[in-house]
PDB file of all heavy atoms in Angstrom:
ATOM      1  N   ILE A  75     -39.571 -38.740  74.107  1.00 98.00           N
ATOM      2  CA  ILE A  75     -38.373 -38.039  73.619  1.00 98.00           C
ATOM      3  C   ILE A  75     -37.245 -39.051  73.525  1.00 98.00           C
ATOM      4  O   ILE A  75     -36.963 -39.760  74.494  1.00 98.00           O
ATOM      5  CB  ILE A  75     -38.009 -36.871  74.557  1.00 98.00           C
ATOM      6  CG1 ILE A  75     -39.088 -35.781  74.446  1.00 98.00           C
ATOM      7  CG2 ILE A  75     -36.627 -36.316  74.233  1.00 98.00           C
ATOM      8  CD1 ILE A  75     -38.935 -34.622  75.401  1.00 98.00           C
ATOM      9  N   ILE A  76     -36.611 -39.137  72.357  1.00 98.00           N
ATOM     10  CA  ILE A  76     -35.538 -40.129  72.199  1.00 98.00           C
ATOM     11  C   ILE A  76     -34.163 -39.476  72.047  1.00 98.00           C
ATOM     12  O   ILE A  76     -33.155 -40.148  72.148  1.00 98.00           O
ATOM     13  CB  ILE A  76     -35.807 -41.084  71.003  1.00 98.00           C
ATOM     14  CG1 ILE A  76     -36.099 -40.314  69.715  1.00 98.00           C
ATOM     15  CG2 ILE A  76     -36.943 -42.036  71.329  1.00 98.00           C
ATOM     16  CD1 ILE A  76     -36.161 -41.212  68.482  1.00 98.00           C
ATOM     17  N   GLU A  77     -34.133 -38.167  71.796  1.00 98.00           N
ATOM     18  CA  GLU A  77     -32.850 -37.494  71.629  1.00 98.00           C
ATOM     19  C   GLU A  77     -33.042 -35.998  71.831  1.00 98.00           C
ATOM     20  O   GLU A  77     -34.053 -35.452  71.391  1.00 98.00           O
ATOM     21  CB  GLU A  77     -32.370 -37.740  70.193  1.00 98.00           C
ATOM     22  CG  GLU A  77     -30.873 -37.832  70.041  1.00 98.00           C
ATOM     23  CD  GLU A  77     -30.511 -38.146  68.585  1.00 98.00           C
ATOM     24  OE1 GLU A  77     -30.852 -39.259  68.112  1.00 98.00           O
ATOM     25  OE2 GLU A  77     -29.934 -37.269  67.932  1.00 98.00           O
ATOM     26  N   THR A  78     -32.076 -35.352  72.483  1.00 98.00           N
ATOM     27  CA  THR A  78     -32.125 -33.889  72.605  1.00 98.00           C
ATOM     28  C   THR A  78     -30.734 -33.337  72.336  1.00 98.00           C
ATOM     29  O   THR A  78     -29.736 -34.047  72.495  1.00 98.00           O
ATOM     30  CB  THR A  78     -32.563 -33.433  74.020  1.00 98.00           C
ATOM     31  OG1 THR A  78     -31.551 -33.814  74.950  1.00 98.00           O
ATOM     32  CG2 THR A  78     -33.891 -34.020  74.422  1.00 98.00           C
ATOM     33  N   GLU A  79     -30.696 -32.068  71.927  1.00 98.00           N
ATOM     34  CA  GLU A  79     -29.420 -31.438  71.636  1.00 98.00           C
ATOM     35  C   GLU A  79     -29.514 -29.947  71.900  1.00 98.00           C
ATOM     36  O   GLU A  79     -30.529 -29.322  71.587  1.00 98.00           O
ATOM     37  CB  GLU A  79     -29.086 -31.682  70.161  1.00 98.00           C
ATOM     38  CG  GLU A  79     -27.604 -31.637  69.856  1.00 98.00           C
ATOM     39  CD  GLU A  79     -27.352 -31.697  68.349  1.00 98.00           C
ATOM     40  OE1 GLU A  79     -27.881 -32.619  67.692  1.00 98.00           O
ATOM     41  OE2 GLU A  79     -26.656 -30.800  67.854  1.00 98.00           O
ATOM     42  N   GLY A  80     -28.468 -29.390  72.490  1.00 97.00           N
ATOM     43  CA  GLY A  80     -28.386 -27.951  72.684  1.00 97.00           C
ATOM     44  C   GLY A  80     -29.302 -27.463  73.790  1.00 97.00           C
ATOM     45  O   GLY A  80     -29.904 -28.244  74.530  1.00 97.00           O
ATOM     46  N   ILE A  81     -29.424 -26.136  73.884  1.00 95.00           N
ATOM     47  CA  ILE A  81     -30.199 -25.536  74.955  1.00 95.00           C
ATOM     48  C   ILE A  81     -30.790 -24.217  74.466  1.00 95.00           C
ATOM     49  O   ILE A  81     -30.209 -23.543  73.624  1.00 95.00           O
ATOM     50  CB  ILE A  81     -29.283 -25.346  76.198  1.00 95.00           C
ATOM     51  CG1 ILE A  81     -30.109 -25.265  77.469  1.00 95.00           C
ATOM     52  CG2 ILE A  81     -28.351 -24.185  76.037  1.00 95.00           C
ATOM     53  CD1 ILE A  81     -29.267 -25.544  78.701  1.00 95.00           C
ATOM     54  N   GLN A  82     -31.970 -23.887  74.964  1.00 95.00           N
ATOM     55  CA  GLN A  82     -32.582 -22.585  74.657  1.00 95.00           C
ATOM     56  C   GLN A  82     -33.309 -22.111  75.908  1.00 95.00           C
ATOM     57  O   GLN A  82     -33.743 -22.906  76.738  1.00 95.00           O
ATOM     58  CB  GLN A  82     -33.545 -22.683  73.472  1.00 95.00           C
ATOM     59  CG  GLN A  82     -34.673 -23.677  73.651  1.00 95.00           C
ATOM     60  CD  GLN A  82     -35.696 -23.620  72.519  1.00 95.00           C
ATOM     61  OE1 GLN A  82     -36.095 -22.550  72.073  1.00 95.00           O
ATOM     62  NE2 GLN A  82     -36.125 -24.795  72.047  1.00 95.00           N
ATOM     63  N   CYS A  83     -33.437 -20.814  76.016  1.00 95.00           N
ATOM     64  CA  CYS A  83     -34.165 -20.207  77.133  1.00 95.00           C
ATOM     65  C   CYS A  83     -35.096 -19.167  76.534  1.00 95.00           C
ATOM     66  O   CYS A  83     -34.661 -18.127  76.059  1.00 95.00           O
ATOM     67  CB  CYS A  83     -33.189 -19.565  78.115  1.00 95.00           C
ATOM     68  SG  CYS A  83     -34.006 -18.814  79.527  1.00 95.00           S
ATOM     69  N   MET A  84     -36.384 -19.501  76.498  1.00 94.00           N
ATOM     70  CA  MET A  84     -37.349 -18.618  75.846  1.00 94.00           C
ATOM     71  C   MET A  84     -38.624 -18.535  76.678  1.00 94.00           C
ATOM     72  O   MET A  84     -38.875 -19.373  77.534  1.00 94.00           O
ATOM     73  CB  MET A  84     -37.713 -19.165  74.459  1.00 94.00           C
ATOM     74  CG  MET A  84     -36.596 -19.070  73.434  1.00 94.00           C
ATOM     75  SD  MET A  84     -36.194 -17.385  72.953  1.00 94.00           S
ATOM     76  CE  MET A  84     -37.646 -16.964  71.985  1.00 94.00           C
ATOM     77  N   GLU A  85     -39.429 -17.543  76.343  1.00 95.00           N
ATOM     78  CA  GLU A  85     -40.687 -17.366  77.048  1.00 95.00           C
ATOM     79  C   GLU A  85     -41.707 -18.387  76.553  1.00 95.00           C
ATOM     80  O   GLU A  85     -41.779 -18.681  75.367  1.00 95.00           O
ATOM     81  CB  GLU A  85     -41.204 -15.947  76.815  1.00 95.00           C
ATOM     82  CG  GLU A  85     -42.145 -15.497  77.887  1.00 95.00           C
ATOM     83  CD  GLU A  85     -42.326 -13.979  77.864  1.00 95.00           C
ATOM     84  OE1 GLU A  85     -42.826 -13.464  76.853  1.00 95.00           O
ATOM     85  OE2 GLU A  85     -41.978 -13.328  78.873  1.00 95.00           O
ATOM     86  N   GLU A  86     -42.488 -18.914  77.490  1.00 96.00           N
ATOM     87  CA  GLU A  86     -43.488 -19.924  77.176  1.00 96.00           C
ATOM     88  C   GLU A  86     -44.818 -19.557  77.797  1.00 96.00           C
ATOM     89  O   GLU A  86     -44.860 -18.884  78.827  1.00 96.00           O
ATOM     90  CB  GLU A  86     -43.018 -21.251  77.799  1.00 96.00           C
ATOM     91  CG  GLU A  86     -42.944 -22.383  76.845  1.00 96.00           C
ATOM     92  CD  GLU A  86     -42.222 -23.569  77.447  1.00 96.00           C
ATOM     93  OE1 GLU A  86     -42.872 -24.367  78.109  1.00 96.00           O
ATOM     94  OE2 GLU A  86     -41.007 -23.682  77.231  1.00 96.00           O
ATOM     95  N   GLY A  87     -45.873 -20.019  77.172  1.00 97.00           N
ATOM     96  CA  GLY A  87     -47.195 -19.864  77.757  1.00 97.00           C
ATOM     97  C   GLY A  87     -47.951 -21.171  77.604  1.00 97.00           C
ATOM     98  O   GLY A  87     -47.432 -22.122  77.013  1.00 97.00           O
TER      99      GLY A  87
END
Side-chain angles (χ1 to χ4, degrees):
I75 292 175
I76 52 171
E77 213 177 294
T78 66
E79 205 188 308
I81 203 161
Q82 58 173 317
C83 181
M84 290 292 289
E85 203 164 63
E86 234 169 86

